[in-house]
Amino acid sequence: MALPMRGLLGSVMMVNMVALAVLPVHAQETQPATDATPHPASKPHTVTVTSTRDPVDKSYRKMIRGMERFERAHALAPRATLRFRLLPRLPTVDMRGITLKVVGDRITVPVPVAEDNGFTLPRNEQALREDAAVIANRKTTSMTWRAQVVTPGLPPDTRRLGDLRLECLVGVEAGLVSNSAPLFGWIASALNSPEQVCNSADGNFLFFTERPLFSVTLRAGERTEMLPFRMLYAGGDQTRDELQYCDCQVMLDRTYFAPIWDRSWPDDTLVSFEYMEDGPAPAPAPTEGTP
Amino acid sequence: MKRLHACLIGALLLAGCATQAPPPGTVVAADRFGQLVVPGRTTRADLLAAFGPTRSVSFDSGYQAWLYSAGAAGGQSGELVLLLDRDGIVRKMRRRPAYPTDGQR
C-alpha cells in the first residue's frame, strides 16, 4: 500500500504560521472605511446592508462546480447521491440550529439544513451571475465543510472507497477544505487541482467518521489490509499548536486518510471502521457552546 | 561563488520547510507483548515499566492511542496499537502485520 508523506501538511502549517503574521496587516488594509459622523451639509444616503460577506465564506460558484464534478465523475459511485455537510472546527461552536443561505448582491436563497447538518444546494442562475457566497450563521472559521457521497445499502460502519474518491474530487473542486489561513488557503486551492490532491499519496485529504476511531480495514475480494497508524488521526504527529491549522482540530480521533490514490484498491473496496467504543452509536448529547 | 551561496541558502530554506516522518513506535517483542498486555487490566504504568515510552496521540476525550513496533527479521515491522482510556487502562489492542505493499511509494 502506498503511504502518504507526512511532510506536506506540516509544511502547509508552517506556511500558515507565517501567514498569520502577515494577515493582520492585510486585514487592516482591506477593512472597509466606516464613518459614523453625520454630514449635515449633504443629503443623507440610506444604505441597506442585508448581510456581510466574509472573505473566506464558501463560494457558491465553486460549490456548484463541485456539484458538476460529481456528475462528471459519477461512475466512481454510480448509485450514490451528493450532499454537503457542516462539521465542527472549534470546540466552542454550537452545531445545533445552523441556518444557511446563498447571498449575492441582490439575491438571497435560504438553504434548509438537516439535523445532521447536511444539505443540498439549489442551482440558481442569478446567484451564479452575482458570484454569491454560501453563508452560515456561525463564524466561518468555527466550522469545516465536506462533500458527502454515500452509496445506499452498505453494511453498518463501512464506507465505499469509490464514494470517498468522489468526496475528495468534489470537496477540492468546491473549495470546502479549510486547513489554511485564508490567504494561503486561497493560494493553495489555486495551485492544487482536485486531481493533484485526490490522486496523490501526498494529497493529505482528510476524512472523518461519525465516532472516535480505533482501526480502519480495507476489504476487496480476498484482499484485506488494516490501515497503518500514520493514516489515522491526521498522521498522529500534530502538536497542539499545529492542530489549529487543521480542520480536524476537534475531530482528531475521528480522522483518517483513505488510500484513494491507490488504484490497486477498486472503487468497490469496503472501508470498515472499528470504533474506540463498541456498540451502537450513542444518541447525540446536547452540547454547550456559542454560535 | 554567489550562485553557490544562493543554492545553499535555497537548499537550507527548503530543508527547513520539510518535516521528518514521525518516528515509529518503540520496538518490542510481539510474543512478550501478547503475554503481558491484557485489555481491561494492563495500565499505563505497566506498559512503561515493561516496554518503555513510545509514540502516542492524546485526544480531547482523555483517551490515548499508543503505538509500538513489532520487530521483524525482514526489515519491515508490524504495529501494535493500544487504546488507553481516561484512567490509563488499556481498553483495546490491535496488531497490524507488515504487508508486502507497505514499502511501495
Side-chain angles (χ1 to χ4, degrees), chain A residues 95-176:
Chain A
M95 295 300 290
R96 298 166 300 172
I98 296 172
T99 61
L100 202 61
K101 56 190 174 183
V102 178
V103 179
D105 294 328
R106 289 177 305 280
I107 189 172
T108 299
V109 182
V111 179
V113 179
E115 202 165 317
D116 68 348
N117 294 318
F119 64 94
T120 56
L121 212 50
R123 191 180 176 94
N124 184 295
E125 294 304 322
Q126 185 183 343
L128 278 173
R129 279 196 306 275
E130 294 182 7
D131 193 14
V134 185
I135 299 175
N137 63 339
R138 297 289 185 276
K139 285 183 181 173
T140 308
T141 51
S142 68
M143 296 190 300
T144 191
W145 308 48
R146 283 292 188 279
Q148 187 181 49
V149 176
V150 177
T151 295
L154 297 179
D157 304 322
T158 64
R159 298 295 314 273
R160 184 179 166 279
L161 196 61
D163 296 9
L164 300 180
R165 286 179 171 134
L166 197 43
E167 281 187 9
C168 179
L169 290 171
V170 173
V172 178
E173 185 85 61
L176 299 183

Side-chain angles (χ1 to χ4, degrees), chain A residues 1-7 10-11 14 201-202 214-215 223-230 232-233 235-237 240 249-250 252-253 274-278, chain B residues 16-22 55-61 63 65-67 79 81-83 86 91-97 99-105:
Chain A
M1 181 187 304
L3 299 174
M5 268 176 51
R6 301 295 324 122
S11 300
M14 185 175 290
D202 299 332
F214 181 59
S215 176
R223 184 182 177 194
T224 298
E225 289 188 19
M226 199 180 288
L227 288 186
F229 190 81
R230 60 175 160 165
L232 273 57
Y233 318 132
D237 55 349
R240 283 277 157 201
Q249 188 177 356
V250 296
L252 187 63
D253 54 5
E274 179 187 354
Y275 300 114
M276 289 185 182
E277 303 279 0
D278 293 325
Chain B
C17 287
T19 55
Q20 291 184 334
R55 191 176 155 204
S56 67
V57 181
S58 299
F59 306 107
D60 292 342
S61 62
Y63 277 54
W66 287 33
L67 170 68
E79 292 181 347
V81 181
L82 301 170
L83 178 69
R86 298 173 191 86
R91 284 295 157 204
K92 290 195 170 194
M93 176 170 69
R94 67 177 164 85
R95 299 174 182 218
R96 179 186 184 273
Y99 297 104
T101 50
D102 274 356
Q104 295 177 6
R105 263 197 54 83

Side-chain angles (χ1 to χ4, degrees), chain A residues 60-92:
Chain A
Y60 179 68
R61 282 181 181 168
K62 273 191 171 184
M63 292 189 72
I64 293 294
R65 281 208 296 271
M67 290 160 58
E68 292 167 349
R69 167 69 71 145
F70 173 78
E71 294 303 330
R72 290 202 302 278
H74 208 165
L76 290 169
R79 294 192 301 119
T81 52
L82 170 67
R83 303 166 82 217
F84 295 102
R85 189 106 185 261
L86 298 166
L87 297 161
R89 168 86 197 249
L90 292 179
T92 51

